[in-house]
Amino acid sequence: MNSEQLRAATFVRHVEIHDELDSTSTRAAELAREISIELPALVVARRQMAGRGRSGKSWWSAEGALTFSLLIEPAAMRIGTSDWPRLSLTTAVAVCDGLRPEVPQSKLGIKWPNDVYLDNRKVGGILIESPGGAAPAKDRLVIGIGINVNNSLRSAPLDVNANGTSLCDVIDRRLDLQELLVRLLHAFVARSNHLSTLNTELISTWRQLDVLAGRNILLEADGQTIDGNCVEIAHDGALVVDNSSGRRRFYSGSVRMA
Ligand code: BTN
């Protein structure tokens, strides 16, 4: 990978490419505290030693995975705070857009709110974090994206291998990580431009990609486990679930397919 090429080909203004980092999102959160940093910033690592996933879980990846974090100032991209709940879903759609030239749309999916699926297994995940604290960090967001690309999951730990997959395991060839990253960044800009307008094409794409619609699910949300049937992802990004107590909408949570 080449940082000058990435800057020239995309919207990112600050690029760091590391051979090894604990977590690209931890590094991006450090950068968020620097007032003079040019944004958007991109942090890429060839190997992550302590990648982080949602709900305090770790994110396993090996060399050949595409692991990166984007540091953005949402307001500068016309993404308002009311759009933030839809940002992980929109990013997941952008990841699918970036993967589409390599795999047929029918093999791709999104598991609400932030997992990207390939052939019914998780191929990528998205972690959106607010660095918090004082200005300027509090007005910035870190979007961490991990995709299994050239790292076969056949040799991954059992729990990762059981539900996960990698592009090379499905398409049986390696991809150029920089080319894929450029495509993903272009797709991210294109999709996030439509986030605040509740664009109908964006909404219909996440509905087409939704792997949960019509399935029985167990949803951990608000300290409860809800056993229900998933109806759809609503236009505002909420997961709509039916169960014995009626129809409810959720804006965050973690889902297992029953
Ligand atoms: C999840 O599925 O729970 C989200 C996984 C997010 C992993 C990516 S890899 C790049 C960035 N750095 C991290 O430490 N995590 C995210």
Side-chain angles (χ1 to χ4, degrees), residues 22-26 48 50-54 59 66-69 114-115 122 124-127 144-146:
D22 275 351
S23 156
T24 55
S25 288
T26 304
Q48 270 193 148
R52 294 186 284 106
R54 289 178 78 229
W59 169 262
L66 181 57
T67 49
F68 65 99
S69 298
N114 71 323
D115 288 346
K122 179 165 170 168
I126 294 156
L127 175 69
I145 303 179

Side-chain angles (χ1 to χ4, degrees), residues 28-190:
E30 278 167 21
L31 293 176
R33 293 189 274 279
E34 289 185 18
I35 190 116
S36 58
I37 185 120
E38 280 192 281
L39 296 181
L42 171 70
V43 181
V44 187
R46 291 190 182 91
R47 281 182 308 277
Q48 270 193 148
M49 309 315 282
R52 294 186 284 106
R54 289 178 78 229
S55 318
K57 292 190 187 131
S58 61
W59 169 262
W60 177 90
S61 67
E63 188 144 3
L66 181 57
T67 49
F68 65 99
S69 298
L70 263 179
L71 172 65
I72 62 164
E73 202 150 78
M77 297 177 70
R78 294 190 307 279
I79 299 172
T81 18
S82 59
D83 301 321
W84 290 15
R86 291 189 307 280
L87 191 55
S88 56
L89 207 47
T90 304
T91 307
V93 172
V95 170
C96 290
D97 291 342
L99 296 180
R100 212 170 275 118
E102 310 298 342
V103 281
Q105 156 99 2
S106 58
K107 284 182 179 277
L108 290 168
I110 291 176
K111 178 169 159 273
W112 181 95
N114 71 323
D115 288 346
V116 178
Y117 267 49
L118 176 61
D119 258 357
N120 300 314
R121 285 163 170 254
K122 179 165 170 168
V123 71
I126 294 156
L127 175 69
I128 302 199
E129 295 172 308
S130 161
K138 70 174 178 49
D139 302 316
R140 297 173 170 177
L141 280 183
V142 176
I143 304 175
I145 303 179
I147 305 170
N148 297 315
V149 182
N150 297 326
N151 54 320
S152 172
L153 259 68
R154 293 188 185 117
S155 51
L158 268 184
D159 56 324
V160 179
N161 188 353
N163 301 311
T165 192
S166 133
L167 277 144
C168 69
D169 289 336
V170 172
I171 61 178
D172 217 19
R173 64 192 160 83
R174 294 171 66 83
L175 297 180
D176 183 300
L177 291 182
Q178 178 163 315
E179 228 171 75
L180 178 61
L181 176 55
V182 168
R183 243 188 0 246
L184 293 176
L185 293 173
H186 284 306
F188 175 78
V189 179

Side-chain angles (χ1 to χ4, degrees), residues 173-213:
R173 64 192 160 83
R174 294 171 66 83
L175 297 180
D176 183 300
L177 291 182
Q178 178 163 315
E179 228 171 75
L180 178 61
L181 176 55
V182 168
R183 243 188 0 246
L184 293 176
L185 293 173
H186 284 306
F188 175 78
V189 179
R191 289 296 183 182
S192 57
N193 277 341
H194 292 299
L195 186 53
S196 57
T197 58
L198 287 180
N199 175 271
T200 49
E201 205 273 324
L202 174 63
I203 295 162
S204 76
T205 308
W206 77 43
R207 285 189 172 152
Q208 278 160 32
L209 289 165
D210 179 8
V211 297
L212 297 178

